[in-house]
Amino acid sequence: MDKKLFQAMHKLFNPRSVVVVGATDSPDRVGYNILESVLYGGFKGKVFPVHPRLDTLQGLKVYPTLEDVPEPVDVALVAVNQFATVETIAQCGRLGIKAAICLAGGYRETGADGLRLEERLISTAREHGIALVGPNTLGLINTGADFYSTFYPLRLPKGRVSLLSQSGGLGLTIMHKAADEGLGINKWVGVGNRSTLEMSDYLEYLAQDEETDVIGIFLEGTEQARDLVQTAARIVKSKPVVIYKAGRLAATEYAALTHTGTASGSYQMYRDILMNQFGVLMVDSVAELVAACKALSVSTLPAGGGLGIVTHTAGPSIALLDSATHQGISVPPLQQETINQIKDVLGQNPPVVLKNPLDTVGVGFAPDMYGRVVNAVLDDPGIDLLVAIYCLHKNWRFPSSELVAAQQRSGKPVLAYYVSTWEGCREDRQLLQQAGVPLYISPDEAAGAVSALVHYGNMRGREKHAG
Amino acid sequence: MDKKLFQAMHKLFNPRSVVVVGATDSPDRVGYNILESVLYGGFKGKVFPVHPRLDTLQGLKVYPTLEDVPEPVDVALVAVNQFATVETIAQCGRLGIKAAICLAGGYRETGADGLRLEERLISTAREHGIALVGPNTLGLINTGADFYSTFYPLRLPKGRVSLLSQSGGLGLTIMHKAADEGLGINKWVGVGNRSTLEMSDYLEYLAQDEETDVIGIFLEGTEQARDLVQTAARIVKSKPVVIYKAGRLAATEYAALTHTGTASGSYQMYRDILMNQFGVLMVDSVAELVAACKALSVSTLPAGGGLGIVTHTAGPSIALLDSATHQGISVPPLQQETINQIKDVLGQNPPVVLKNPLDTVGVGFAPDMYGRVVNAVLDDPGIDLLVAIYCLHKNWRFPSSELVAAQQRSGKPVLAYYVSTWEGCREDRQLLQQAGVPLYISPDEAAGAVSALVHYGNMRGREKHAG
């Protein structure tokens, strides 16, 4: 992307100072909450609230107009109505403020009058070279700079996944699900009406952003999917992109996207082409999006697609196997050498079913014994990554330290599916995920994670061999 | 079902006294944990541990043999190995103990020798008329009697959903997901090898059980699905049954189940027939199973299939709409009268999109305003049930009391989808679910809940009119 635009966007996410136009003292109002959001999030830069009559707000000195702010401002947070927003952007232009986040709705989404107003907003921003987020947006977050400019005061765990959402509300759903899953976020953008900054601008920015390892996207409706997926297909060569698209694409749209020239295939077929040939990960739910982003953020990539499964209880492995094979993942048989090693660990004549998935039954309940079996399976040349299934038990610990050691020893990705509540495995989750082992508590989400790692790993592998 | 069998099973779930054969002092062992499970769960009846040498275990007097137990025993918990289990069952027979839960594996699942041993177990149990759970099972739970006879010591929130699982481990996953969702459980059974008690026996028992309102089932593999689904199709006329089947049924199996005489249809088509014609709810994941059971347990049934959606943020409603229409749910337009009422609430010229889903945008953020809009939509004759979407906000409360009032006022089912973490809406969840409003935090699970209510409501409606 254009270096100047990159720098302007960098300032948007990392301002040294912000002004809040429309700050107010009523907690019902957006103008109150955007100011609180900045302060509550722990922003280290300067904050200048603007209100025509108030003296102080939330402990800060208030300035009667934008002109009265005594220092240079990097980003204007604009929380006035749609008409006053246009005037504010013009004022920003005159004062040399080069970036603005415009919260108010009431533009093109409301009809012809709104569209005309939005066109005025766009031309004003362009005239002054202002990078404008929104309008009609919840705002944006950069946890790396403790900068929370949404009108939902929040604090998020820090991480290296960044999220773009065409919807603020669904973006919040994704954010909350990530928090429930112990997944840290770096940047989050509700892109709103995308008057000047397009979804693809944010995507290009995140592709170059050194704090972002994985990009998750939520798209509403069908517009622009084609351009965006094509941009994503370029970016995935260096950084994974996971797309959740509501209003699932019609076959004709997929046909266009994949250049197959035919619209006769199924949704699943086109989705598979995007995943397998282009390496763009397409998912159908919030849960799948977060599962995939977590896997790609926490784990290394597998060198191939052979999934090993180790469990001490059959059912969860059957549900995982079902879900994974449904997503095209192969669960190859174990080699005789591997089976011999497992016999050495578990004893010569165990009631164990010696295949993949490997069910250690009773004898494998002991975490250390279980860890040794996991090592043996990871040593199998046909196994490229492994899911370890273990049940929460009041008197037995999880094999977390063994799984971390096994992952480090083998260099292959290890994922855990613990049969538990989140509360029951909170401490283990932190240990595992910090050490590179993503944790899930449902078979479907574990299968989605495996699918993301395998599809993305395959694409990167092809790129490497081609280059 | 046979009255004698019902009474025997009733005693299994509601014993006055239990003996633990194979109780031991090592926390690694099943025999330790099954005893702890009974005590930890708060069992009010008498507990007699049996061990040849120990004097006391976990504060209880120990008996050297089963014969030494001085009082009548309702249920034997058998935690010795597969060979000793057969002897123990014979002993139970001689002592008049009529019910047993056999935990050890090592039977038919291990091959020909194991099968022969299981046949001996079965004939011994039959000879003495013993109702036998398992073998090769985690055990069973009845929260209504504080009776936890699994070797995973647990305490669960009480409720009116009962679960049958062909797998202990996946049954635990379902149980934990239910706990995370604030869904109370009444009975839970890991059915194991089903040597004497079949899945359909448990199903028939739960159908008659006054403490169970909703039955959830997990099935592994493909065996016996036909008989079971046919039993379920009879039971659903009085009580909902939700089935999650791993190893999704092949088209031929569906064809047999639905008597369509053809195997040319898709998985989805056969699933729809089971749902629409038979009223048996078929789901494909743990999340869907729990979402459906929660809806059917917490909510009333809708009189028809028209879904209304009210939101103050577009994206979540689009994701919900997408997922619900994908499951065959209709989201009808609102009547003019309804739209006029909403205009009265929100003002004459709001930037609101006056259709279904109804997006109140900014003006509807206030919980009381939002509640009034929900009332207006529920009054629409085309709307049979409603999902209310609302975002967690640090300074604004959820409209929970309004939703409860709206549900009571209209008599129509109201579901909530709160954009939040579970931690963020824990208190509201309790308020809502106790008052009949099931709460979800993902669009897909909310859509699954709607689908369950509509499909089951339709079937019950047809039954009523036919009867």
Side-chain angles (χ1 to χ4, degrees):
Chain A
M1 87 190 296
D2 174 39
K3 196 174 170 188
K4 204 173 141 196
L5 181 57
F6 180 83
Q7 286 169 342
M9 291 186 74
H10 187 73
K11 197 174 270 186
L12 247 177
F13 284 106
N14 299 276
R16 290 158 303 180
S17 58
V18 298
V19 64
V20 182
V21 182
T24 170
D25 55 357
S26 161
D28 290 346
R29 306 286 296 278
V30 166
Y32 178 96
N33 289 292
I34 179 83
L35 177 60
E36 178 171 328
S37 179
V38 172
L39 300 178
Y40 183 76
F43 182 59
K44 306 294 188 300
K46 292 189 175 172
V47 184
F48 305 107
V50 169
H51 186 280
R53 289 174 306 279
L54 296 167
D55 290 332
T56 61
L57 271 173
Q58 301 183 41
L60 295 177
K61 176 174 161 55
V62 174
Y63 299 85
T65 71
L66 198 47
E67 278 86 355
D68 296 311
V69 174
E71 296 182 44
V73 167
D74 282 343
V75 175
L77 307 179
V78 185
V80 292
N81 72 33
Q82 66 266 45
F83 308 105
T85 292
V86 180
E87 303 315 313
T88 302
I89 292 303
Q91 224 176 355
C92 286
R94 290 192 294 274
L95 295 167
I97 300 173
K98 290 298 183 194
I101 300 170
C102 298
L103 307 181
Y107 295 97
R108 74 172 79 171
E109 76 279 9
T110 60
D113 288 352
L115 179 61
R116 272 191 295 277
L117 190 63
E118 186 161 335
E119 281 163 357
R120 273 184 52 210
L121 182 71
I122 295 171
S123 63
T124 308
R126 291 229 169 103
E127 186 187 328
H128 297 286
I130 294 172
L132 189 149
V133 179
N136 189 24
T137 175
L138 214 60
L140 61 79
I141 292 170
N142 177 12
T143 68
D146 300 311
F147 180 49
Y148 290 74
S149 69
T150 77
F151 54 94
Y152 278 69
L154 289 164
R155 274 191 298 250
L156 298 176
K158 295 183 182 194
R160 299 186 60 83
V161 172
S162 290
L163 297 166
L164 302 176
S165 180
Q166 208 173 327
S167 151
L170 205 97
L172 283 171
T173 292
I174 296 166
M175 184 198 289
H176 290 318
K177 170 72 174 166
D180 272 345
E181 294 267 336
L183 176 64
I185 299 298
N186 180 257
K187 294 181 179 66
W188 180 99
V189 188
V191 299
N193 286 12
R194 297 157 291 141
S195 296
T196 72
L197 290 175
E198 263 303 340
M199 186 67 97
S200 55
D201 293 323
Y202 295 105
L203 184 53
E204 299 273 12
Y205 176 78
L206 293 178
Q208 291 181 39
D209 177 33
E210 287 177 4
E211 295 183 327
T212 296
D213 288 341
V214 179
I215 303 165
I217 300 179
F218 171 72
L219 298 177
E220 282 177 9
T222 55
E223 57 168 326
Q224 289 177 321
R226 180 173 181 159
D227 285 353
L228 192 78
V229 174
Q230 281 166 354
T231 304
R234 180 163 41 75
I235 286 171
V236 290
K237 288 169 190 172
S238 57
K239 208 173 268 190
V241 180
V242 188
I243 300 179
Y244 166 31
K245 177 125 185 15
R248 303 177 189 196
L249 292 175
T252 47
E253 299 173 89
Y254 267 104
L257 281 170
T258 54
H259 306 293
T260 51
T262 163
S264 63
S266 67
Y267 167 76
Q268 188 63 39
M269 186 192 97
Y270 289 115
R271 191 183 130 142
D272 288 350
I273 293 175
L274 277 173
M275 302 265 283
N276 294 323
Q277 290 181 18
F278 294 77
V280 178
L281 302 166
M282 306 294 295
V283 297
D284 290 324
S285 70
V286 172
E288 283 181 55
L289 178 69
V290 173
C293 287
K294 177 151 85 175
L296 293 160
S297 169
V298 170
S299 175
T300 56
L301 292 176
L307 172 65
I309 303 174
V310 177
T311 186
H312 62 76
T313 168
S317 70
I318 291 168
L320 173 64
L321 180 68
D322 182 38
S323 192
T325 50
H326 199 73
Q327 296 186 53
I329 302 302
S330 109
V331 181
L334 300 175
Q335 297 194 356
Q336 190 55 48
E337 166 75 21
T338 308
I339 290 172
N340 294 344
Q341 280 178 29
I342 295 166
K343 280 184 183 162
D344 285 348
V345 175
L346 297 179
Q348 277 307 306
N349 193 20
V352 171
V353 188
L354 287 166
K355 58 181 190 183
N356 187 12
L358 177 71
D359 184 353
T360 65
V361 302
V363 68
F365 279 26
D368 54 344
M369 187 79 92
Y370 186 92
R372 287 163 65 200
V373 173
V374 164
N375 279 341
V377 174
L378 281 167
D379 283 344
D380 190 299
I383 298 301
D384 298 299
L385 77 172
L386 183 135
V387 177
I389 301 171
Y390 202 91
C391 292
L392 174 70
H393 191 287
K394 188 171 169 292
N395 297 323
W396 306 329
R397 63 177 178 84
F398 287 117
S400 301
S401 55
E402 284 81 2
L403 294 183
V404 169
Q407 189 264 319
Q408 286 167 352
R409 177 180 168 282
S410 69
K412 295 177 180 176
V414 175
L415 298 84
Y417 155 25
Y418 283 175
V419 175
S420 173
T421 57
W422 276 133
E423 216 165 293
C425 56
R426 192 175 294 266
E427 282 171 35
D428 284 83
R429 179 174 68 188
Q430 195 170 354
L431 168 76
L432 288 168
Q433 295 190 170
Q434 279 178 358
V437 177
L439 176 64
Y440 299 90
I441 58 172
S442 95
D444 307 288
E445 284 162 56
V450 167
S451 171
L453 290 177
V454 168
H455 283 100
Y456 189 65
N458 283 346
M459 193 279 296
R460 288 298 288 269
R462 283 196 307 274
E463 285 296 314
K464 211 162 106 186
H465 290 110
Chain B
M1 82 192 296
D2 172 41
K3 196 174 170 188
K4 204 172 142 199
L5 181 57
F6 181 84
Q7 284 169 344
M9 291 186 73
H10 188 74
K11 198 173 269 187
L12 248 177
F13 285 105
N14 299 276
R16 289 157 302 178
S17 58
V18 299
V19 63
V20 181
V21 182
T24 171
D25 55 357
S26 161
D28 290 345
R29 305 287 295 278
V30 166
Y32 178 95
N33 288 291
I34 179 79
L35 176 59
E36 179 171 326
S37 179
V38 172
L39 300 178
Y40 184 75
F43 182 60
K44 305 293 188 302
K46 292 190 175 171
V47 184
F48 306 106
V50 170
H51 186 280
R53 288 174 305 278
L54 295 168
D55 290 331
T56 61
L57 272 172
Q58 301 183 42
L60 296 178
K61 176 174 163 55
V62 174
Y63 299 85
T65 71
L66 199 48
E67 278 86 356
D68 296 311
V69 174
E71 296 183 43
V73 167
D74 281 344
V75 176
L77 308 179
V78 185
V80 291
N81 72 34
Q82 66 266 44
F83 309 104
T85 293
V86 180
E87 303 315 312
T88 303
I89 293 303
Q91 224 176 356
C92 285
R94 291 193 294 273
L95 295 168
I97 301 174
K98 290 295 181 194
I101 300 172
C102 298
L103 307 181
Y107 296 95
R108 73 172 80 171
E109 75 281 9
T110 61
D113 289 351
L115 179 60
R116 272 191 295 277
L117 190 63
E118 186 161 336
E119 281 163 358
R120 273 184 52 209
L121 183 69
I122 295 172
S123 63
T124 308
R126 290 230 170 103
E127 187 187 326
H128 298 284
I130 295 173
L132 189 149
V133 179
N136 189 25
T137 175
L138 214 62
L140 62 78
I141 293 170
N142 177 12
T143 69
D146 299 311
F147 180 49
Y148 290 73
S149 69
T150 77
F151 54 96
Y152 279 68
L154 289 164
R155 275 191 295 251
L156 298 175
K158 297 185 181 192
R160 299 186 61 82
V161 173
S162 290
L163 297 166
L164 301 176
S165 180
Q166 209 174 327
S167 151
L170 205 98
L172 283 171
T173 292
I174 297 166
M175 184 198 290
H176 289 318
K177 170 71 174 166
D180 272 344
E181 294 267 336
L183 177 64
I185 300 299
N186 181 258
K187 295 181 178 66
W188 181 99
V189 187
V191 299
N193 286 11
R194 296 156 292 140
S195 296
T196 70
L197 290 175
E198 265 303 338
M199 187 66 99
S200 55
D201 293 323
Y202 296 105
L203 185 52
E204 298 274 11
Y205 176 78
L206 293 178
Q208 291 182 38
D209 176 34
E210 287 177 4
E211 294 183 329
T212 296
D213 287 342
V214 179
I215 303 165
I217 300 178
F218 170 72
L219 297 178
E220 281 176 10
T222 56
E223 58 168 325
Q224 290 177 321
R226 181 174 178 158
D227 284 354
L228 191 77
V229 173
Q230 281 166 354
T231 305
R234 180 164 41 77
I235 286 172
V236 290
K237 289 171 189 170
S238 58
K239 209 174 267 191
V241 180
V242 188
I243 300 178
Y244 165 32
K245 177 126 186 15
R248 301 174 191 200
L249 291 176
T252 47
E253 299 174 88
Y254 266 105
L257 281 169
T258 54
H259 306 292
T260 51
T262 163
S264 64
S266 67
Y267 167 76
Q268 189 62 42
M269 186 192 98
Y270 290 113
R271 190 183 133 139
D272 289 351
I273 293 175
L274 277 174
M275 302 265 283
N276 293 324
Q277 289 182 20
F278 294 77
V280 178
L281 302 166
M282 305 294 294
V283 298
D284 291 323
S285 71
V286 173
E288 282 181 57
L289 178 68
V290 173
C293 286
K294 177 150 87 174
L296 293 160
S297 169
V298 170
S299 175
T300 55
L301 292 175
L307 172 65
I309 301 173
V310 177
T311 186
H312 61 76
T313 170
S317 70
I318 291 169
L320 173 64
L321 180 68
D322 181 38
S323 192
T325 50
H326 198 74
Q327 296 185 54
I329 302 301
S330 110
V331 182
L334 300 174
Q335 297 193 356
Q336 190 55 46
E337 167 73 21
T338 307
I339 290 172
N340 294 342
Q341 280 177 30
I342 295 165
K343 280 185 182 162
D344 285 348
V345 176
L346 297 178
Q348 276 307 305
N349 194 20
V352 171
V353 187
L354 288 165
K355 59 181 187 184
N356 186 14
L358 177 71
D359 183 354
T360 66
V361 302
V363 67
F365 279 26
D368 54 343
M369 186 81 91
Y370 186 92
R372 287 163 65 199
V373 173
V374 164
N375 280 340
V377 174
L378 281 167
D379 284 344
D380 190 300
I383 299 300
D384 297 299
L385 78 171
L386 182 136
V387 176
I389 300 170
Y390 201 91
C391 292
L392 174 70
H393 191 287
K394 187 172 170 293
N395 296 323
W396 306 329
R397 64 177 178 84
F398 287 116
S400 301
S401 54
E402 285 81 1
L403 294 183
V404 169
Q407 190 264 319
Q408 286 166 352
R409 178 181 168 279
S410 69
K412 296 177 181 176
V414 175
L415 298 84
Y417 155 25
Y418 281 175
V419 175
S420 175
T421 58
W422 276 133
E423 214 164 296
C425 56
R426 193 175 293 267
E427 283 171 34
D428 284 82
R429 179 174 68 186
Q430 194 170 356
L431 169 75
L432 287 168
Q433 295 190 170
Q434 279 178 358
V437 177
L439 176 64
Y440 299 90
I441 59 172
S442 94
D444 307 288
E445 284 161 56
V450 166
S451 171
L453 289 176
V454 168
H455 284 100
Y456 189 65
N458 282 346
M459 192 279 296
R460 289 297 289 267
R462 283 197 306 276
E463 285 296 313
K464 210 163 105 185
H465 290 110

